Amino acid sequence: MLLHSLLFLVVLVSMDHFEPASSTEPGKEETTQTSCPEGTNCHVLDKLRNRSKYVARSCKEIKERYNEQEDGLYFLTTANGLVYQTFCDMTTDGGGWTLVASVHENNMYGKCSVGDRWSSQQGNNADVPDGEGNWSNRNTFGSAESATSDDFKNPGYYDILAEDMSVWHVPNDFALETWKKAAILRYHTDSHFLPLYGGNLLQLFKQYPVRYNVGTCVNRGPAFAIVYDKGNSETVRNLYGPNPRAEFVPGFITFRPINNERAAMAICSGAKPVSGCNTEHYCIGGGGYFPENSGQCGDFPGFDWDRIDRVRGWSASKEVTEAAVLLFYR
Amino acid sequence: MLLHSLLFLVVLVSMDHFEPASSTEPGKEETTQTSCPEGTNCHVLDKLRNRSKYVARSCKEIKERYNEQEDGLYFLTTANGLVYQTFCDMTTDGGGWTLVASVHENNMYGKCSVGDRWSSQQGNNADVPDGEGNWSNRNTFGSAESATSDDFKNPGYYDILAEDMSVWHVPNDFALETWKKAAILRYHTDSHFLPLYGGNLLQLFKQYPVRYNVGTCVNRGPAFAIVYDKGNSETVRNLYGPNPRAEFVPGFITFRPINNERAAMAICSGAKPVSGCNTEHYCIGGGGYFPENSGQCGDFPGFDWDRIDRVRGWSASKEVTEAAVLLFYR
Amino acid sequence: MLLHSLLFLVVLVSMDHFEPASSTEPGKEETTQTSCPEGTNCHVLDKLRNRSKYVARSCKEIKERYNEQEDGLYFLTTANGLVYQTFCDMTTDGGGWTLVASVHENNMYGKCSVGDRWSSQQGNNADVPDGEGNWSNRNTFGSAESATSDDFKNPGYYDILAEDMSVWHVPNDFALETWKKAAILRYHTDSHFLPLYGGNLLQLFKQYPVRYNVGTCVNRGPAFAIVYDKGNSETVRNLYGPNPRAEFVPGFITFRPINNERAAMAICSGAKPVSGCNTEHYCIGGGGYFPENSGQCGDFPGFDWDRIDRVRGWSASKEVTEAAVLLFYR
């Protein structure tokens, strides 16, 4: 009888790919869900797949509950139960950063054309002042592994309640495993500002709509000091053209700037506008209408001003124009 | 030896977060798949994640098999094994309603422009009489939590074999947990009409193509009486303009109307056309071409007729124009 | 005490829907994850859902590790852990073929309009020589069950390291379970050519960019002999117009042809260009600019040349124009 019960145990154990509890770190799951047949080399995949058992709304919760310390893809769940995968930065400043969105300019020559999901895909049009409205709605698009090849917005953007943001500028089309090294600029805030604005960008941009004609240059939204993780204020200055450099101070992230023509943008990455109000040359995202010469509407609005043969000195660098802007919460 | 075997058992039990069978309701799953570490507050999420173990093609099957009675997101599986999440209404008239699609007008000024997935994104064009063709193909787009912020169509649209439909008009950008309360109109059919047309909208619209020039006003598809769950015939009348009100009777859902200019639409929500044939002012979806003045092509075709300074009295209300139309099967 | 331990075992066993190991084929998983309540007819779905436990990067690995021999949907995992579902052809020439993409022409009259993801959605535009760039980036779109109703590209396109390709031409809007029978042409390579070009199309097209003005007609990429699985060289000839037939030889798959006007295409399916350089009439995909008369830019570039009243004899057949091109790796 004793032997019989032990036999049963052995069967169960082999079914579940049981490994002694001592081999797993505290707080971590055993690899019981998926299945690597013996003799195969899929154990790394198996480890990644077992992350599907984690139950958490953010990378911060993953880190705290399951003691994961590795950058990479994890499974998250919204308050309503929607399951999705995204990238977690588990190392910068203690880790726990959730990638919730990326802003990618697919065609610098397209003025609010297809692919401009963070401004408008309806052409430069004053009748559509909010453009796509994606800064303040629950629409989602793209995929984590594609975040440098196309726009990305996952449910974390509206579901997670966070305190701080981190931003990476990663050259277009680089693979996920290279992002951290390939980034031309990385920084985060540490002022715990997000709870004051509702806990995430959805709520913040409801208070500060990214909408044409919502106010004038003086009505810009809040700006917060940043801590550099890669690069510094000199790096930020060099991302943008010589003329804009005279109009902003580096070392900040700024929300909902408004330019001279009453066009609204969403984020000035690394910079705070202090004069001039020509924010379209260094701030990203936007509403659906940019009045000036019809040449600015788009996800990276006036980053290409010079290329189309106007006043020299306003265009952003090729580096920042051809890099996706990855937005993280913690 | 006996102690040893018991020790093993204890380890196994704790690994699987075992709870006594008596603590679970009949027909429900134990929460064994996902994992909430002790002392954390993720048990609500855990319950939602465990729905990923359910095996069903519709919310009706979920309700019957697993005795679930709560509105919310569930996992469904197509006949071919494709897994997706969608919203189930588990309470209206006995519950078991699957959200399969939403029709959302992203730009009332765009005439068959980007985002008009339920008519055409190719401009108003007689060469493309079917437009996107999404009423009668297997293309899918969007996400359940985004259903009031953008168009949504999931595999249930073509995979589920159903008997009745339910329709909710929910103001744009409202969150899933508020839909039922926020809806300005909710109704369902109870005539079990869908099996007569192939069991779902894919099959129905193969029989009644949403295509320009497929027939004249008299060739409209079938209409079925509705039961109101929120609102009434007066509500329906007030959704649309004074002129259309004289041309339809409320209390019905109608499929594939055709207007005076031979443009085809997909659904008249709440209404049956009886005279006049100006269905573009109160019916939604469409083929790729609306001949009249080039101002009607779109997901909500002529809902804005007056705004653009033509005959007054035809435009739909702001309420219905800025609300997504959610389509359910049971 | 012994009885107690056995009792525990029985409980555990029933919780996990335990079946004796002898009832499962070697290498296959027990159906323990999902759950069909007794007396229900969901066991076929249950079998499909249990495939979510497989851990593999390709259909070839699924076949080898889990001994699956049935065509259908399976779950795959990228090297970074991204989980997705796609179709596996488990029977042709030994099976193990992964569907990674489909090229679908949604509007033959749209010239690089919305839906032309394999060329450009920005209009015919020399400023955007790469068009969407999807042949050589990590962007993904669509769904396996929608692969004949819209463009499809999954993570396997860039993640899998393969040796050969298989191609199916399947009439638009056909359901997955009918693809193999409905296909008008199916073939595969057996020369193990992919490792020479980096192991997949992402790497191959980095070496041979699908870009306007990257070279002239003589700079086309490699061509490889094919083995027909359905159809033959006569079938291939009849897919395309009489004039192109004089310019290619059937029995090959060719990558990155370039036409007389320096426009680049991605794939000539079934054919190798040998003279004339009018590849736009029988090759698919493309960069963002086709100089000739502005009438060729698109996923199926010049397949409709005659329809718009120009020289007769160049247009492709209706059959091939209205069929999606499904791309597999092994």
Side-chain angles (χ1 to χ4, degrees):
Chain A
M1 201 61 166
L2 223 166
L3 247 154
H4 196 179
S5 94
L6 281 173
L7 202 67
F8 260 90
L9 277 167
V10 169
V11 170
L12 275 168
V13 163
S14 70
M15 273 177 64
D16 283 347
H17 304 275
F18 176 71
E19 296 172 35
S22 60
S23 78
T24 58
E25 296 172 43
K28 287 219 184 171
E29 279 306 294
E30 285 79 15
T31 53
T32 57
Q33 183 187 17
T34 56
S35 61
C36 264
E38 288 203 21
T40 61
N41 60 352
C42 67
H43 295 292
V44 174
L45 279 195
D46 206 37
K47 189 193 69 176
L48 297 172
R49 279 296 297 277
N50 270 286
R51 291 176 179 170
S52 67
K53 300 169 75 178
Y54 295 167
V55 179
R57 279 173 72 185
S58 68
C59 297
K60 184 162 170 273
E61 289 184 3
I62 294 272
K63 194 174 169 68
E64 289 167 359
R65 284 190 194 141
Y66 306 100
N67 200 26
E68 283 277 4
Q69 318 214 354
E70 226 178 301
D71 294 351
L73 295 175
Y74 290 85
F75 291 80
L76 299 179
T77 309
T78 68
N80 288 320
L82 194 70
V83 178
Y84 63 102
Q85 285 190 273
T86 194
F87 178 79
C88 295
D89 170 3
M90 293 306 207
T91 47
T92 300
D93 187 46
W97 299 96
T98 309
L99 174 66
V100 299
S102 78
V103 184
H104 170 267
E105 179 56 71
N106 64 316
N107 174 12
M108 203 59 239
Y109 294 88
K111 297 304 164 187
C112 285
S113 65
V114 179
D116 281 330
R117 295 180 195 81
W118 293 109
S119 49
S120 179
Q121 304 183 100
Q122 306 290 327
N124 193 34
N125 187 347
D127 283 334
V128 191
D130 292 283
E132 299 294 304
N134 285 323
W135 293 103
S136 54
N137 68 23
R138 286 173 177 77
N139 192 7
T140 53
F141 36 83
S143 154
E145 286 201 338
S146 311
T148 58
S149 296
D150 203 358
D151 293 331
F152 178 44
K153 183 184 171 199
N154 64 41
Y157 183 89
Y158 58 79
D159 182 68
I160 295 173
L161 295 176
E163 297 185 324
D164 282 297
M165 283 189 62
S166 162
V167 179
W168 296 10
H169 291 254
V170 181
N172 287 343
D173 297 334
F174 271 64
L176 181 145
E177 59 272 23
T178 70
W179 290 350
K180 191 168 261 181
K181 271 200 173 169
I184 55 177
L185 175 69
R186 290 192 282 113
Y187 62 82
H188 67 277
T189 69
D190 63 359
S191 56
H192 300 354
F193 74 98
L194 272 172
L196 302 174
Y197 301 90
N200 55 45
L201 291 180
L202 177 82
Q203 301 301 334
L204 186 151
F205 286 118
K206 280 188 178 176
Q207 295 172 43
Y208 294 93
V210 184
R211 177 185 299 151
Y212 167 63
N213 208 20
V214 77
T216 66
C217 173
V218 298
N219 302 115
R220 74 154 171 79
F224 304 95
I226 59 176
V227 177
Y228 292 105
D229 297 307
K230 181 169 182 183
N232 51 39
S233 286
E234 194 55 27
T235 314
V236 170
R237 266 187 218 102
N238 289 331
L239 294 181
Y240 308 111
N243 295 356
R245 263 175 244 164
E247 300 195 354
F248 68 74
V249 289
F252 293 86
I253 181 169
T254 303
F255 298 96
R256 219 283 310 272
I258 294 178
N259 73 7
N260 285 319
E261 295 83 22
R262 293 177 163 258
M265 280 133 276
I267 291 175
C268 310
S269 179
K272 181 166 75 171
V274 288
S275 69
C277 298
N278 297 292
T279 53
E280 67 273 18
H281 303 301
Y282 59 99
C283 305
I284 63 173
Y289 188 52
F290 284 71
E292 193 174 7
N293 288 6
S294 299
Q296 296 178 336
C297 203
D299 285 355
F300 287 4
F303 279 38
D304 62 338
W305 197 243
D306 302 340
R307 291 191 211 168
I308 40 177
D309 292 323
R310 298 201 183 89
V311 187
R312 291 200 62 81
W314 288 107
S315 285
S317 67
K318 184 174 157 65
E319 284 69 28
V320 81
T321 304
E322 298 182 353
V325 184
L326 276 54
L327 307 178
F328 297 79
Y329 290 162
R330 181 174 71 181
Chain B
M1 201 60 168
L2 223 166
L3 249 154
H4 196 179
S5 96
L6 281 173
L7 201 69
F8 259 91
L9 277 166
V10 169
V11 170
L12 274 169
V13 163
S14 71
M15 275 177 63
D16 283 346
H17 304 276
F18 176 71
E19 297 171 36
S22 59
S23 78
T24 58
E25 297 171 43
K28 288 220 183 170
E29 279 306 293
E30 286 79 16
T31 53
T32 56
Q33 183 188 17
T34 57
S35 60
C36 264
E38 288 201 22
T40 60
N41 60 352
C42 66
H43 294 291
V44 174
L45 280 196
D46 205 36
K47 188 192 72 173
L48 297 173
R49 279 297 298 277
N50 270 287
R51 292 175 179 171
S52 67
K53 299 169 76 178
Y54 295 167
V55 179
R57 279 173 72 184
S58 69
C59 297
K60 185 162 170 274
E61 289 185 1
I62 295 272
K63 194 174 170 66
E64 289 167 357
R65 284 191 193 140
Y66 304 101
N67 200 26
E68 283 278 3
Q69 319 214 354
E70 225 177 302
D71 293 352
L73 294 175
Y74 290 86
F75 290 80
L76 299 179
T77 309
T78 68
N80 287 321
L82 195 70
V83 178
Y84 64 101
Q85 285 190 273
T86 195
F87 177 79
C88 294
D89 170 4
M90 293 307 207
T91 47
T92 300
D93 187 45
W97 300 95
T98 309
L99 175 66
V100 299
S102 78
V103 183
H104 170 267
E105 178 56 70
N106 64 316
N107 174 12
M108 203 58 238
Y109 294 88
K111 298 304 165 187
C112 285
S113 66
V114 177
D116 281 331
R117 295 179 195 82
W118 293 108
S119 49
S120 179
Q121 304 183 100
Q122 306 290 327
N124 193 34
N125 188 346
D127 283 334
V128 190
D130 292 283
E132 299 293 305
N134 286 322
W135 292 102
S136 53
N137 68 23
R138 286 173 176 78
N139 192 6
T140 54
F141 36 82
S143 155
E145 286 201 336
S146 311
T148 59
S149 296
D150 202 359
D151 293 331
F152 178 44
K153 184 184 170 198
N154 65 40
Y157 183 89
Y158 58 78
D159 182 68
I160 294 172
L161 295 176
E163 298 184 323
D164 281 298
M165 282 189 62
S166 162
V167 179
W168 297 8
H169 291 254
V170 181
N172 287 343
D173 296 336
F174 270 65
L176 180 145
E177 58 273 22
T178 70
W179 289 350
K180 191 168 260 179
K181 272 199 174 171
I184 55 178
L185 175 69
R186 291 191 283 112
Y187 63 82
H188 68 277
T189 69
D190 63 359
S191 56
H192 301 353
F193 73 98
L194 272 172
L196 302 174
Y197 300 90
N200 56 44
L201 291 180
L202 177 82
Q203 300 301 333
L204 186 151
F205 286 117
K206 280 189 178 177
Q207 294 171 44
Y208 294 92
V210 184
R211 178 185 298 150
Y212 167 63
N213 210 18
V214 76
T216 67
C217 173
V218 299
N219 303 116
R220 75 155 172 77
F224 304 95
I226 59 176
V227 177
Y228 292 105
D229 298 308
K230 180 168 184 184
N232 51 40
S233 287
E234 195 54 27
T235 314
V236 171
R237 265 186 220 103
N238 290 332
L239 295 181
Y240 308 111
N243 294 356
R245 264 175 243 164
E247 300 195 354
F248 68 75
V249 289
F252 294 86
I253 181 169
T254 303
F255 298 96
R256 219 282 310 272
I258 295 177
N259 73 5
N260 284 318
E261 295 82 22
R262 295 178 163 257
M265 279 132 278
I267 291 175
C268 309
S269 180
K272 181 166 74 171
V274 290
S275 70
C277 299
N278 296 293
T279 53
E280 67 273 18
H281 303 302
Y282 58 99
C283 305
I284 62 173
Y289 189 53
F290 284 70
E292 193 175 7
N293 287 5
S294 299
Q296 296 178 335
C297 203
D299 284 356
F300 288 4
F303 279 38
D304 63 337
W305 196 243
D306 302 341
R307 290 192 212 169
I308 41 178
D309 293 323
R310 300 205 181 86
V311 188
R312 289 199 64 81
W314 289 107
S315 285
S317 68
K318 184 174 156 68
E319 283 69 26
V320 80
T321 304
E322 298 182 353
V325 184
L326 276 53
L327 307 177
F328 297 78
Y329 290 162
R330 179 174 72 181
Chain C
M1 201 59 170
L2 224 167
L3 248 154
H4 197 178
S5 96
L6 281 174
L7 201 69
F8 258 91
L9 277 167
V10 169
V11 170
L12 273 170
V13 163
S14 71
M15 274 178 63
D16 283 346
H17 305 274
F18 176 70
E19 297 171 35
S22 59
S23 78
T24 57
E25 296 171 42
K28 287 219 183 170
E29 278 307 294
E30 285 79 16
T31 54
T32 56
Q33 183 188 16
T34 57
S35 60
C36 264
E38 287 203 22
T40 60
N41 61 353
C42 68
H43 294 291
V44 174
L45 279 195
D46 205 38
K47 189 193 71 175
L48 296 172
R49 280 297 297 275
N50 270 286
R51 291 177 179 169
S52 67
K53 301 169 73 180
Y54 295 167
V55 179
R57 279 174 71 184
S58 68
C59 297
K60 185 161 170 274
E61 290 183 3
I62 294 272
K63 193 173 170 68
E64 290 167 358
R65 284 189 193 142
Y66 305 100
N67 200 27
E68 284 276 4
Q69 319 215 353
E70 227 178 303
D71 293 351
L73 294 175
Y74 291 86
F75 291 79
L76 298 180
T77 309
T78 69
N80 287 321
L82 195 70
V83 178
Y84 64 102
Q85 285 190 274
T86 194
F87 178 79
C88 295
D89 170 4
M90 293 306 207
T91 48
T92 300
D93 187 45
W97 300 96
T98 309
L99 175 66
V100 299
S102 78
V103 184
H104 170 267
E105 178 56 70
N106 64 317
N107 174 12
M108 203 58 240
Y109 294 88
K111 297 305 165 188
C112 285
S113 66
V114 178
D116 281 330
R117 296 180 195 81
W118 293 109
S119 49
S120 179
Q121 303 183 101
Q122 306 290 328
N124 193 34
N125 188 346
D127 283 335
V128 191
D130 292 284
E132 299 292 306
N134 285 322
W135 292 102
S136 54
N137 69 23
R138 286 173 176 77
N139 192 7
T140 53
F141 36 82
S143 154
E145 286 201 336
S146 311
T148 58
S149 296
D150 203 357
D151 293 331
F152 178 44
K153 183 184 170 197
N154 65 41
Y157 183 89
Y158 58 77
D159 181 69
I160 295 171
L161 295 176
E163 298 184 325
D164 281 297
M165 282 189 63
S166 161
V167 179
W168 297 9
H169 291 254
V170 181
N172 287 343
D173 297 335
F174 271 65
L176 180 144
E177 59 271 24
T178 69
W179 290 349
K180 191 168 260 181
K181 272 200 173 170
I184 56 178
L185 175 69
R186 291 192 281 113
Y187 62 83
H188 67 275
T189 68
D190 63 359
S191 56
H192 300 355
F193 73 97
L194 271 172
L196 302 174
Y197 300 91
N200 56 44
L201 291 180
L202 177 82
Q203 300 301 334
L204 186 152
F205 286 118
K206 281 189 177 175
Q207 295 172 43
Y208 294 92
V210 184
R211 178 185 299 151
Y212 167 63
N213 209 18
V214 77
T216 65
C217 173
V218 298
N219 303 115
R220 74 154 171 79
F224 304 96
I226 59 177
V227 177
Y228 293 105
D229 298 308
K230 181 169 182 183
N232 51 40
S233 287
E234 194 56 26
T235 314
V236 171
R237 267 188 218 100
N238 290 331
L239 295 182
Y240 308 111
N243 294 357
R245 263 175 244 163
E247 300 195 353
F248 68 74
V249 289
F252 294 86
I253 181 169
T254 304
F255 298 97
R256 218 284 308 273
I258 295 177
N259 73 6
N260 284 318
E261 295 82 21
R262 293 177 163 259
M265 280 133 276
I267 291 175
C268 311
S269 178
K272 182 165 74 172
V274 289
S275 70
C277 299
N278 297 293
T279 53
E280 67 273 18
H281 304 302
Y282 59 99
C283 305
I284 63 173
Y289 189 52
F290 284 70
E292 194 175 7
N293 288 6
S294 298
Q296 297 179 335
C297 204
D299 284 356
F300 288 3
F303 279 38
D304 62 338
W305 196 243
D306 302 340
R307 290 193 211 169
I308 41 176
D309 293 322
R310 299 203 182 89
V311 188
R312 290 199 63 81
W314 288 107
S315 285
S317 68
K318 185 174 158 65
E319 284 68 28
V320 81
T321 304
E322 298 182 353
V325 184
L326 276 54
L327 307 178
F328 297 79
Y329 289 162
R330 181 175 72 182

